[in-house]
């Protein structure tokens, strides 16, 4: 290996330089403070733990298992996983470490690691920030999470031109259950929906049990009124399907009333993380960006693996992606060397105001701080700051 290759980073991993690091750190602090005043308590979770805690081999966690890096623990010989998502860890806290009664609200921010990028041009080491609510299975809980997510984006970013997508995996699941489809057929339908392949869907559903309903679900996925008109009475009378359909409509109405200027869309065949989510799903998108700014949904029963099954809903975002287009000029004030008390007092006072001051060392001059934007100079016995 040549010397030039030793400093190359793996694909999907990058350094974060000062101009963006300051943006990201400001976002992190503001976001956690924002969540704290809404009752979301901060938790720190370990970067690595036994693989059984991070992702079981059950169907609901296969996607997570595939993106989890695995290593052998040199102390125990057991398989460890580097966290790829912090939600299972928070679920462990809620179920086993801090099993409080009633509603629990948690928030977190930390680096996670993926075996491969999860979206186009995404990092494999996102700085994941999220909020989760355990212990309540109501529409109000889902609305709270969406409302908090939107308010957070508005507070740390802005909502100009953004679009909120709402979906519900329960509609597809209820229809599959009602039609009595096998896993293979369910998987084919899920793939067709994800690819929005309407001609293929129409052909595939021609001879399928309740095929007209499956086609209608794809054809009118973004229009609940039209969807309701084209669905059969058989599925509309199904109690489970009806409850989920009504929940989606109610959520849409409540969010629209809280955010009247927000562009809200419906997509009932958005089945990302289909095996992970159990109900309502939501994501917020910005113009000219393929990946969502933030996304989440309901994942009831996630704590069952840890011995305590509870309703749960939450969202997360990548702070690197959230601050990707934002850069700041870091103002740096250079002070001359010396131990004069007036100078030291002036430096201390300036720093107490939150400004960055670098004092020269030894024989250094202003050129030794190439990123300096201002300098401290003495004028008429007073130390003042001048722009360079």
């Amino acid at each position: 290996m040549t010397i030039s290759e030793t400093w190359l980073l793996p694909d999907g991993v990058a350094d974060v330089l000062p101009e963006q690091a300051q943006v990201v750190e400001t976002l992190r602090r503001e976001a956690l403070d924002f969540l704290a005043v809404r009752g979301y308590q901060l938790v720190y979770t370990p970067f690595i733990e036994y693989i059984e805690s991070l992702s079981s081999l059950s169907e609901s966690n296969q996607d997570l298992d595939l993106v989890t890096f695995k290593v052998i623990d040199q102390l125990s010989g057991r398989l460890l996983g580097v966290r790829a998502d912090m939600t299972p860890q928070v679920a462990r806290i809620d179920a086993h470490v801090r099993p409080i009664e009633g509603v629990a609200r948690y928030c977190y921010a930390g680096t996670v690691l993926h075996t491969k990028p999860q979206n186009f041009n995404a990092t494999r080491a996102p700085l994941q920030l999220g909020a989760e609510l355990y212990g309540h299975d109501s529409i109000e809980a889902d609305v709270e999470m969406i409302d908090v997510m939107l308010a957070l984006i508005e507070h740390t970013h802005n909502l100009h031109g953004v679009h909120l997508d709402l979906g519900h995996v329960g509609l597809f699941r209820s229809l599959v259950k009602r039609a009595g489809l096998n896993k293979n057929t369910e998987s084919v339908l899920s793939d067709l929906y994800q690819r929005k392949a309407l001609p293929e869907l129409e052909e595939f559903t021609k001879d399928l049990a309740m095929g007209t309903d499956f086609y209608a679900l794809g054809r009118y996925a973004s229009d609940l009124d039209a969807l309701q008109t084209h669905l059969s009475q058989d599925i509309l009378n199904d109690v489970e399907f009806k409850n989920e359909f009504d929940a989606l409509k109610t959520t849409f109405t409540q969010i629209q009333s809280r955010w009247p200027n927000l562009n809200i869309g419906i997509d009932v065949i958005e089945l990302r993380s289909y095996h992970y989510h159990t109900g309502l799903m939501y994501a917020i998108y910005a113009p000219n960006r393929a990946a969502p700014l933030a996304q989440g949904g309901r994942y009831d029963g996630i704590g069952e693996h840890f011995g305590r099954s509870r309703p749960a809903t939450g969202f997360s975002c990548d702070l690197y992606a959230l601050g990707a287009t934002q850069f700041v000029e870091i103002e740096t004030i250079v002070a001359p060397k010396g131990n004069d008390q007036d100078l030291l007092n002036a430096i201390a006072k300036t720093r107490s105001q939150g400004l960055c001051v670098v004092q020269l060392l030894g024989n250094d001059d202003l050129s030794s701080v190439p990123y300096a934007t201002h300098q401290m100079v003495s004028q008429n016995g007073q130390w003042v700051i001048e722009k360079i």
Side-chain angles (χ1 to χ4, degrees):
M1 181 180 290
T2 64
I3 292 178
S4 63
E5 292 177 320
T6 61
W7 52 263
L8 293 177
L9 293 173
D11 287 345
V13 179
D15 296 310
V16 183
L17 301 181
E19 291 78 9
Q20 189 179 6
Q22 182 146 322
V23 169
V24 172
E25 179 60 15
T26 299
L27 285 173
R28 187 189 69 85
R29 295 178 186 180
E30 289 182 354
L32 291 177
D33 287 344
F34 175 90
L35 292 169
V37 299
R38 282 157 180 77
Y40 290 82
Q41 297 178 302
L42 179 64
V43 293
Y44 289 96
T45 63
F47 190 64
I48 191 168
E49 57 180 292
Y50 293 124
I51 193 65
E52 295 86 355
S53 294
L54 290 177
S55 59
S56 69
L57 296 180
S58 64
E59 181 182 45
S60 63
N61 279 321
Q62 281 183 356
D63 292 340
L64 184 58
D65 187 66
L66 287 173
V67 299
T68 301
F69 273 98
K70 302 173 181 69
V71 296
I72 299 296
D73 183 10
Q74 297 299 307
L75 295 179
S76 67
R78 293 176 60 183
L79 193 62
L80 299 175
V82 180
R83 67 185 183 199
D85 180 18
M86 295 173 76
T87 293
Q89 298 181 299
V90 181
R92 174 175 54 77
I93 290 172
D94 178 72
H96 185 68
V97 180
R98 191 173 183 260
I100 64 172
E101 296 299 324
V103 176
R105 291 175 173 85
Y106 297 108
C107 65
Y108 53 82
T111 300
V112 297
L113 187 63
H114 297 157
T115 54
K116 56 184 180 180
Q118 296 304 286
N119 294 296
F120 175 74
N121 204 31
T123 175
R124 286 200 291 169
L127 180 53
Q128 187 183 58
L129 178 136
E132 302 184 5
L133 186 154
Y134 291 83
H136 218 280
D137 61 357
S138 65
I139 292 176
E140 287 81 4
D142 290 318
V143 169
E144 175 179 324
M145 293 309 305
I146 298 171
D147 187 58
V148 169
M149 179 182 72
L150 290 169
L152 176 63
I153 297 298
E154 181 182 54
H155 181 74
T156 60
H157 196 263
N158 64 69
L159 287 179
H160 180 67
V162 303
H163 177 92
L164 175 68
D165 267 357
L166 295 177
H168 199 304
V169 297
L171 298 179
F172 176 57
R173 283 188 180 156
S174 297
L175 188 50
V176 167
K177 181 180 177 181
R178 186 78 173 181
L181 302 185
N182 58 41
K183 289 291 183 182
N184 182 61
T185 304
E186 179 183 1
S187 179
V188 173
L189 281 168
S190 176
D191 176 66
L192 292 174
Y193 285 145
Q194 286 293 85
R195 292 191 290 111
K196 314 295 185 187
L198 285 179
E200 293 179 55
L201 179 67
E202 185 177 21
E203 182 66 27
F204 184 77
T205 56
K206 277 183 178 178
D207 301 317
L208 194 68
M210 302 187 74
T212 57
D213 289 317
F214 283 106
Y215 178 71
L217 199 67
R219 177 67 177 82
Y220 305 103
S222 60
D223 187 337
L224 291 183
D225 291 334
L227 176 60
Q228 189 169 9
T229 299
H230 288 84
L231 288 172
S232 69
Q233 281 303 125
D234 186 14
I235 191 61
L236 289 175
N237 291 334
D238 183 89
V239 174
E240 189 175 334
F241 185 92
K242 184 179 185 303
N243 288 341
E244 287 152 352
F245 192 91
D246 290 344
L248 182 55
K249 289 185 71 173
T250 301
T251 303
F252 177 88
T253 301
Q254 291 194 19
I255 294 299
Q256 194 171 51
S257 67
R258 294 183 183 214
W259 300 86
N261 298 320
L262 180 66
N263 184 12
I264 307 175
I266 296 288
D267 189 352
V268 298
I269 58 169
E270 172 51 66
L271 301 176
R272 57 181 167 79
S273 304
Y274 168 63
H275 296 297
Y276 178 73
H277 286 287
T278 62
L280 194 75
M281 298 169 61
Y282 36 88
I284 187 165
Y285 293 87
N288 304 316
R289 291 182 60 168
L293 290 175
Q295 61 186 336
R298 181 160 287 279
Y299 35 86
D300 294 339
I302 189 173
E304 183 178 4
H305 183 63
F306 305 105
R308 189 183 187 221
S309 179
R310 296 232 289 169
T313 181
F315 72 89
S316 65
C317 62
D318 177 13
L319 288 177
Y320 291 140
L322 198 60
T325 60
Q326 304 176 49
F327 293 90
V328 296
E329 180 186 35
I330 302 174
E331 293 190 347
T332 302
I333 303 165
V334 177
K337 61 184 177 182
N339 294 312
D340 178 77
Q341 193 59 51
D342 288 341
L343 172 61
L344 298 180
N345 289 342
I347 293 174
K349 181 179 179 180
T350 304
R351 287 173 175 165
S352 71
Q353 297 169 351
L355 300 175
C356 172
V357 181
V358 173
Q359 188 173 22
L360 295 176
L361 303 172
N363 295 321
D364 289 347
D365 57 24
L366 198 59
S367 64
S368 69
V369 189
Y371 50 88
T373 58
H374 296 74
Q375 64 179 333
M376 187 175 287
V377 297
S378 178
Q379 290 184 359
N380 301 320
Q382 299 292 323
W383 290 101
V384 297
I385 298 171
E386 294 182 345
K387 189 173 180 62
I388 297 175

